[in-house]
């Protein structure tokens, strides 16, 4: 190796290090969001809900109240774990989750404070936490997405139980790891008993192809890779808006009262250890207020606003016309029973 | 006070005392720094062990009897073996083609072959799936992993092929050994260390990988750990699974140690001439096609899919300002991590290279173990430790940087070590005998000689930090957005058109240090 090449290589390296150092120094000033401490007057919201929608809600809340909100978006499960690990030291004031089990896991550790009675009264009582420590904000319903060129609506099952029958072998797409699926399993357990639920899951396992998440399920059915997929309704609507309406699939709802005609709630609670209790309560109250529910109804999250009198987005089936399975959020519990069964069967 | 000229072999009963004496000779500041760094690296693994032990026997037995467990074990082992073999074949093949043959366009290929390093695995998985939906399961996971991880084998193997003394090959040829036999009997043994090291790193990556396999629907321990945390909120079971992953990682480390044998150091140095190039002749188009396919699969597919999504769905609600601010944020975080990690890797590398022994070996190897743990497990151990012991830095940039440092430390260590082993200790010793103080030897002799290695280390850390997602989501200050978190937020909302620009910028910013890696050569010297 010649001396010259050594020198040139060495100078490249030093230049690189210098460049990194300089950039580090320069961009330190240009990133205001960095920095350890949060403003004491800032409300910290942990949100596992659709980020774009929550951002709109936060911006509107800030404008209305003049308060500042620090939004921490993530997977609802990750955030629940984070809250459990943080315990009493959590910087969070509000937790907005996609499904009751995540909220109930936090509630079970006594980390949630009671939500103001007036806020709870805004939405149907059955949609709130049985302990009154979180309020229902939006709803989604279980549904069956189907590939429109390979199946017609008349051939689709009236009950989610039928998906375990042999005629559906190789035709079902399923993501058993999704938190949206577990309430359906719980509903089957409640309505048909554990033994029947286990049999159903075994049949489903034999029939279904497993996907990592519902985004993959809806995409697979839309491509025609599988004929039907079990998921929550909004995945299909999001796919449709992403594809600008050009889809080869549609949604089918299960018969009234069926375990598959399940309405699942997304809710929010106030952390008992939060340092801005009053502001946190007013944020949660805002989430079920008319303007917030209007934002939810018109956003791309495609979920149902829970406040009575707010029309859901155009194209969504109106919620009351779906007759849900006769189950309350208390019946749906923390989902442990469903998870146990899923693990016994080997789907998890 | 740094070191003596030649160390006698350490066989006697006084070996321990001798070792102690050598340790004593190591500058105390560096020693303290090295120990501190090693302790920091051990935090996640130690926390996982503590948590797993606290689970209790009854619960542990129940978890270990779950029907899914054998499947997870089988999947993880299958994948590790298949990807290991795949990476070895693709990495060695590509390195041999661009370093030892007259392959047309080999200078360009040398660059392109490294670039898949700049593609985060979750982007690759997303790319493959959105273009070829049929890619999934074991085959899909193997395919995607091989073509994203092979550069870890390709880089060191290419370097050692370039450095290897062609003398043995000449001798073999004059003895009438054919080209194929020479490849297996001369070339392969000469690149054994590089090959094993590369396969080790890629396998450790594989153990921890969650994002890509969840996209490709292939269950491994890493995906199961994620499920356990996210669905059951059960940190205990998750930590048991993490412990199993750690043990698999230890198995890999021991296996590699066994295979590479006692002779740990490769002969390097500037000596010797370059090996003659094999003339491909009529085989040239075939070889070009093969290398082209590797580039196409490793780089073309993810880049292509990003371009496809941008072109297909250009109208989004995306404010360009958010791309810019996420980019600046990411560059800043990655830049700090790169500098700090490289600085911390130096004392450990000095200790292990200049003062080899069992202890320094343990320090070095155990720092690799962290790579076998999925980001969620590492992230949550940081949450736990920080909340309980350092609440002041919780959810601060400082904590996030600490996580980046721990996660990318093994990469920096590999690069700095490789550079140090190439600097003969005699140069430093000569400077010492000429009266230079130890500190001045470090500044005036050692550091300038290993500067390319330091640059390479910084570049590797930069890459890792730019593309890190899971720990970032858990540890970032509330409200902080990096390219990876933005990409994740949009792609998990099915808004691929909006997600794609972030992926594109992420790729571009990590391509920069990758090119730098090639320019300086992580492990090599220039061809004469």
């Amino acid at each position: 190796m010649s001396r010259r090449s050594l020198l040139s290589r060495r100078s490249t390296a030093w230049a690189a290090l210098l460049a990194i150092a300089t950039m580090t120094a320069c961009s330190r000033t240009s990133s205001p969001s960095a920095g350890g401490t949060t403003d004491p007057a800032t409300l910290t919201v942990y949100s596992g809900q659709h980020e774009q929608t929550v951002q709109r809600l936060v911006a509107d809340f800030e404008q209305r109240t003049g308060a500042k909100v620090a939004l921490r978006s993530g997977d609802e499960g990750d955030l629940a774990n984070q809250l459990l690990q943080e315990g009493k030291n959590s910087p969070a004031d509000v937790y907005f989750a996609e499904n009751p089990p995540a909220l109930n896991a936090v509630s079970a550790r006594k980390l949630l404070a009671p939500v103001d009675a007036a806020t709870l009264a805004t939405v149907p009582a059955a949609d709130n936490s049985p302990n009154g420590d979180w309020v229902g904000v939006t709803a989604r319903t279980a549904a069956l997405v189907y590939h429109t060129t390979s199946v017609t609506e008349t051939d689709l099952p009236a009950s989610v139980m039928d998906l375990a029958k042999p005629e559906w072998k190789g035709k079902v797409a399923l993501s058993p790891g999704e938190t949206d699926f577990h309430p359906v399993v719980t509903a089957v357990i409640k309505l048909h008993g554990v033994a029947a639920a286990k049999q159903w899951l075994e049949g489903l396992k034999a029939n279904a192809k497993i996907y990592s998440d519902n985004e993959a399920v809806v995409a697979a059915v839309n491509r025609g890779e599988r004929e039907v997929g079990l998921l929550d309704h909004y995945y299909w609507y999001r796919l449709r808006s992403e594809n600008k309406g050009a889809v080869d699939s549609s949604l089918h709802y299960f018969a009234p009262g069926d375990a598959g005609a399940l309405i699942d709630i997304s809710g929010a609670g106030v952390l008992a250890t939060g340092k801005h209790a009053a502001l946190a309560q007013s944020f949660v109250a805002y989430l079920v207020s008319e303007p917030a529910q209007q934002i939810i109804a018109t956003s791309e999250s495609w979920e149902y606003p829970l406040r009575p009198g707010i029309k859901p987005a155009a194209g969504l089936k109106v919620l009351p016309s779906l007759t849900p399975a006769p189950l309350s959020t208390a019946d749906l519990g923390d989902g442990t029973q469903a998870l146990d069964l899923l693990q016994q069967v080997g789907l998890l | 006070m740094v070191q003596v000229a030649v160390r006698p072999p350490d066989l006697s009963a006084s070996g321990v005392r001798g070792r102690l004496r050598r340790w004593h000779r190591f500058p105390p500041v560096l020693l303290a720094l090295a120990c501190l760094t090693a302790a920091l690296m051990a935090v996640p693994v130690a926390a996982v062990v503590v948590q797993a032990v606290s689970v209790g026997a009854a619960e542990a037995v129940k978890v270990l009897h779950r029907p899914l467990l054998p499947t997870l074990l089988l999947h993880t082992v299958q994948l590790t073996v298949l990807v290991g073999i795949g990476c070895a074949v693709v990495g060695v093949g590509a390195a041999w083609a661009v370093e030892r043959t007259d392959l047309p366009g080999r200078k360009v290929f040398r660059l392109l072959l490294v670039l898949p390093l700049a593609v985060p695995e979750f982007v690759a998985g997303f790319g493959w799936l959105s273009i070829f939906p049929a890619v999934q399961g074991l085959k899909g996971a193997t395919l995607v992993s091989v073509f994203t991880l092979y550069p870890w084998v390709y880089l060191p193997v290419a370097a050692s092929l370039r450095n290897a003394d062609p003398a043995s090959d000449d001798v073999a040829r004059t003895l009438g050994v054919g080209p194929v036999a020479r490849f297996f009997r001369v070339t392969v043994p000469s690149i054994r260390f590089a090959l094993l090291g590369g396969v080790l790193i890629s396998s450790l990556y594989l153990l921890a990988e969650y994002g890509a396999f969840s996209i490709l629907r292939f269950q491994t321990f890493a995906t199961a750990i994620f499920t356990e945390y996210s669905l059951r909120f059960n940190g205990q079971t998750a930590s048991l699974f993490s412990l199993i992953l750690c043990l698999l990682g230890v198995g890999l480390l021991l296996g590699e140690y066994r295979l590479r044998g006692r002779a740990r150091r490769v002969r390097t140095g500037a000596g010797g001439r370059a090996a003659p190039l094999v003339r491909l002749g009529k085989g040239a188009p075939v070889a070009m096609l093969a290398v082209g396919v590797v580039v196409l699969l490793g780089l073309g597919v993810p880049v292509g899919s990003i371009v496809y999504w941008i072109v297909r769905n250009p109208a989004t609600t995306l404010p360009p300002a958010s791309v810019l601010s996420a980019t600046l944020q990411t560059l800043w975080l990655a830049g700090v991590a790169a500098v700090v990690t490289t600085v911390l890797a130096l004392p450990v590398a000095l200790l292990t290279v200049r003062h080899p022994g069992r202890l320094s070996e343990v320090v070095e190897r155990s720092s690799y173990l962290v790579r076998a743990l999925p980001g969620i497990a590492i992230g949550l151990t940081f949450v736990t430790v920080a909340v309980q012991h350092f609440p002041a830095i919780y959810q601060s940039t400082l904590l996030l940087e600490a996580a980046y440092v721990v996660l990318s430390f093994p990469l920096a260590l590999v690069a700095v070590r490789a550079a140090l082993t190439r600097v003969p200790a005699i140069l430093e010793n000569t400077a010492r005998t000429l009266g230079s103080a130890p500190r001045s030897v470090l500044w005036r002799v050692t550091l300038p000689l290993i500067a390319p290695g330091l640059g390479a280390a910084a570049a590797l850390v930069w890459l890792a930090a730019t593309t890190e997602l899971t720990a970032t989501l858990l540890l970032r200050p509330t409200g902080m957005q990096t390219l990876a978190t933005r990409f994740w937020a949009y792609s998990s909302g099915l808004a691929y058109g909006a997600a794609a620009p972030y992926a594109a910028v992420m790729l571009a910013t990590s391509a920069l240090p990758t090119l730098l890696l090639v320019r300086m050569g992580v492990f090599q010297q220039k061809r004469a």
Side-chain angles (χ1 to χ4, degrees):
Chain A
M1 178 174 54
S2 75
R3 176 82 185 139
R4 228 176 115 207
S5 79
L6 176 78
L7 262 183
S8 80
R9 238 170 351 107
R10 200 192 299 169
S11 49
T12 314
W14 284 121
L17 275 179
L18 193 71
I20 291 171
T22 316
M23 201 164 58
T24 303
C26 292
S27 54
R28 190 185 292 271
T29 45
S30 65
S31 49
S33 57
T37 50
T38 42
D39 189 330
T42 302
L43 187 75
T44 302
V45 175
Y46 282 18
S47 164
Q49 253 289 2
H50 191 243
E51 186 171 339
Q52 289 86 314
T53 305
V54 181
Q55 270 170 350
R56 282 179 62 189
L57 291 170
V58 161
D60 186 53
F61 177 76
E62 286 180 329
Q63 211 180 12
R64 283 168 193 279
T65 59
K68 273 190 72 182
V69 176
L71 177 62
R72 187 176 189 86
S73 285
D75 178 82
E76 63 164 348
D78 286 4
L79 290 169
N81 276 299
Q82 191 154 14
L83 285 167
L84 297 182
Q85 301 277 0
E86 289 169 350
K88 292 190 165 45
N89 299 315
S90 177
D93 297 300
V94 172
Y95 178 41
F96 190 7
E98 278 196 304
N99 291 282
L103 280 161
N104 291 341
V106 178
S107 162
R109 289 271 200 96
K110 309 260 180 288
L111 293 174
L112 293 180
V115 173
D116 286 349
T119 307
L120 291 173
T122 319
V123 298
D127 298 335
N128 293 329
S129 151
N131 317 326
D133 56 3
W134 54 263
V135 61
V137 178
T138 71
R140 61 280 291 291
T141 158
L144 196 67
V145 59
Y146 65 98
H147 188 235
T148 38
T149 45
S150 52
V151 235
T152 49
E153 169 124 45
T154 47
D155 297 332
L156 294 172
S159 169
V160 73
M161 301 303 284
D162 296 340
L163 290 177
K165 289 184 178 167
E167 62 253 40
W168 287 100
K169 190 160 181 66
K171 295 177 179 172
V172 183
L174 182 71
S175 172
E178 276 278 2
T179 41
D180 299 334
F181 177 58
H182 308 150
V184 176
V185 179
T186 309
V188 172
I189 293 172
K190 294 282 179 208
L191 296 179
H192 302 274
V194 177
K198 190 172 175 192
Q199 214 177 4
W200 175 67
L201 281 177
E202 275 161 355
L204 205 54
K205 186 186 176 192
N207 288 351
K209 170 151 189 176
I210 304 304
Y211 292 86
S212 70
D213 50 34
N214 283 344
E215 284 88 351
V217 168
V218 70
V221 174
N222 193 50
R223 288 192 299 267
E225 197 178 300
R226 286 293 179 273
E227 290 184 6
V228 295
L230 185 59
L231 36 61
D232 274 1
H233 77 282
Y234 63 89
Y235 289 97
W236 180 75
Y237 284 97
R238 287 183 193 169
L239 180 82
R240 195 183 62 168
S241 66
E242 171 70 8
N243 288 3
K244 310 250 188 297
V247 286
D248 298 320
S249 53
S250 186
L251 269 194
H252 164 74
Y253 296 92
F254 295 106
D258 186 62
L262 187 78
I263 290 185
D264 197 18
I265 304 296
S266 157
V270 173
L271 272 297
T273 50
K275 288 169 192 70
H276 312 91
L279 193 56
Q281 290 287 353
S282 72
F283 182 79
V284 171
Y286 165 77
L287 288 179
V288 292
S289 71
E290 207 168 325
Q293 295 275 303
Q294 203 67 54
I295 289 178
I296 290 167
T298 54
S299 80
E300 299 225 315
S301 73
W302 296 98
E303 294 188 39
Y304 292 98
L306 273 180
R307 186 188 174 96
I310 306 283
K311 265 202 179 141
L316 276 182
K317 264 196 181 192
V318 183
L319 199 52
S321 76
L322 285 166
T323 315
L327 296 164
S328 69
T329 47
D331 287 329
L332 294 179
D334 62 0
T336 317
Q337 219 183 351
L339 289 170
D340 284 340
L341 213 51
L342 281 165
Q343 289 183 334
Q344 268 180 40
V345 174
L347 273 170
L348 269 185
Chain B
M1 219 178 72
V2 172
Q3 46 230 263
V4 288
V6 179
R7 268 192 312 278
D10 193 1
L11 300 168
S12 65
S14 66
V16 174
R17 220 171 54 227
R19 252 199 313 277
L20 280 177
R21 221 173 28 243
R22 283 206 307 280
W23 276 73
H24 184 67
R25 273 186 235 111
F26 198 74
V29 180
L30 285 186
L31 183 62
L33 259 178
C35 290
L36 206 72
T37 308
L40 180 66
M41 300 310 139
V43 166
V45 178
V48 162
V49 173
V50 166
Q51 220 166 15
V53 167
S54 75
V55 168
E59 179 67 23
V61 167
K62 206 174 118 200
V63 168
L64 298 180
H65 270 94
R66 268 170 51 179
L68 193 63
L69 202 83
T71 312
L72 292 178
L73 203 58
L74 181 74
H75 278 188
T76 308
V77 171
Q78 269 180 332
L79 194 67
T80 312
V81 171
L82 284 177
V83 173
I85 294 172
C87 282
V89 170
V90 173
V92 172
W96 186 78
V98 297
E99 296 299 340
R100 285 291 172 89
T101 72
D102 61 349
L103 183 79
R106 56 185 183 276
K107 279 198 176 134
V108 178
F109 277 128
R110 254 176 225 164
L111 270 183
L112 294 177
L113 281 167
V114 186
L115 277 177
L117 271 188
V119 180
E121 272 206 83
F122 58 91
V123 169
F126 154 83
W128 279 91
L129 203 66
S130 52
I131 293 188
F132 306 111
V135 171
Q136 44 194 281
L138 178 62
K139 274 186 226 145
T142 308
L143 193 68
V144 174
S145 305
V146 165
F147 286 100
T148 46
L149 291 173
Y150 80 85
W152 291 111
V153 176
Y154 164 80
L155 260 183
V157 168
S160 67
L161 276 179
R162 215 175 305 180
N163 290 336
D165 195 331
S168 355
D169 202 54
D170 294 344
V171 171
R173 191 173 39 227
T174 57
L175 289 174
V177 183
V180 177
R182 279 208 310 280
F183 177 79
F184 284 102
R185 289 169 60 189
V186 180
T187 312
V188 169
S190 77
I191 58 170
R192 192 164 56 126
F193 301 118
L195 176 60
L196 286 171
V199 169
L200 175 72
I201 292 256
S202 52
S203 306
L204 287 173
Y205 258 99
L206 203 63
L207 286 184
E209 178 57 36
Y210 158 72
F213 301 143
S214 111
I215 294 175
L216 296 167
R217 304 146 211 168
F218 189 68
Q219 290 176 310
T220 64
F221 269 106
T223 63
I225 288 169
F226 209 85
T227 305
E228 209 53 50
Y229 274 123
S230 292
L231 302 182
R232 282 204 175 256
F233 313 104
N234 188 339
Q236 293 196 320
T237 309
S239 64
L240 275 176
F241 282 0
S242 301
L243 189 65
I244 297 177
L245 259 191
C246 269
L247 293 176
L248 288 174
V250 171
L252 277 175
L253 285 166
L254 288 177
E256 192 258 0
Y257 185 72
R258 264 282 163 86
L259 282 174
R260 67 154 65 185
R262 292 303 299 169
R264 284 193 299 275
R265 223 124 287 134
V266 197
R267 188 204 75 87
T268 53
R273 67 216 150 74
L277 296 180
V278 172
R279 288 186 188 283
L280 289 173
K282 287 199 178 126
V286 180
M288 269 185 86
L289 189 72
V291 177
V293 165
V294 172
V295 170
L296 188 73
L297 293 179
L299 194 63
V301 169
V303 172
S305 75
I306 290 169
V307 171
Y308 168 79
W309 282 110
I310 292 178
V311 169
R312 193 189 137 169
N313 230 340
T316 56
T317 51
L318 195 69
S322 106
V323 178
L324 183 69
S325 74
T327 307
L328 287 175
Q329 184 67 71
T330 307
L331 290 182
W332 174 62
L333 287 169
V336 173
V339 173
V340 174
T341 313
T342 308
V343 168
L344 288 181
L346 184 63
V348 178
L350 278 171
L351 182 68
T352 54
V353 173
R354 293 292 183 243
H355 301 263
R358 196 154 295 159
L359 185 63
S360 56
E361 189 105 15
V362 169
V363 165
E364 183 219 346
R365 308 240 111 199
S366 59
S367 74
Y368 290 119
L369 211 53
V370 86
R371 282 256 60 122
L373 287 174
I376 175 95
I378 297 176
L380 282 174
T381 60
F382 269 87
V383 170
T384 314
V385 172
V387 158
Q388 285 172 6
H389 304 287
F390 309 99
I393 63 159
Y394 184 58
Q395 286 185 8
S396 70
T397 315
L398 186 64
L399 187 67
L400 182 58
E401 292 286 7
Y404 285 159
V405 169
V406 170
L407 280 168
S408 52
F409 184 77
L411 309 178
L413 188 58
V414 167
V416 178
R417 262 187 64 101
L420 259 184
T421 47
R422 278 205 310 273
V423 177
I426 190 122
L427 291 181
E428 293 162 355
N429 297 332
T430 310
R432 285 285 293 124
T433 57
L434 292 175
S436 287
R439 190 178 305 161
S440 130
V441 173
L442 183 67
W443 278 103
R444 291 175 55 202
V445 180
T446 316
L447 285 184
L449 283 171
I450 62 167
L454 296 180
L460 285 171
V461 176
W462 176 306
L463 267 177
T466 306
T467 54
E468 211 291 327
L469 175 64
T470 319
T472 311
L473 280 174
L474 284 169
L475 300 172
R476 62 183 165 157
T478 297
M480 178 187 274
Q481 298 290 357
T482 69
L483 292 169
T485 65
R486 296 269 70 189
F487 173 81
W488 169 84
Y490 285 110
S491 65
S492 64
L494 280 167
Y496 295 128
Y502 294 99
V505 179
M506 202 172 357
L507 227 120
T509 50
S510 39
L512 200 79
T514 311
L515 293 179
L516 215 65
L517 274 177
V518 176
R519 168 81 186 81
M520 299 184 305
V522 191
F523 303 94
Q524 91 276 34
Q525 271 130 30
K526 240 181 202 138
R527 220 175 219 299

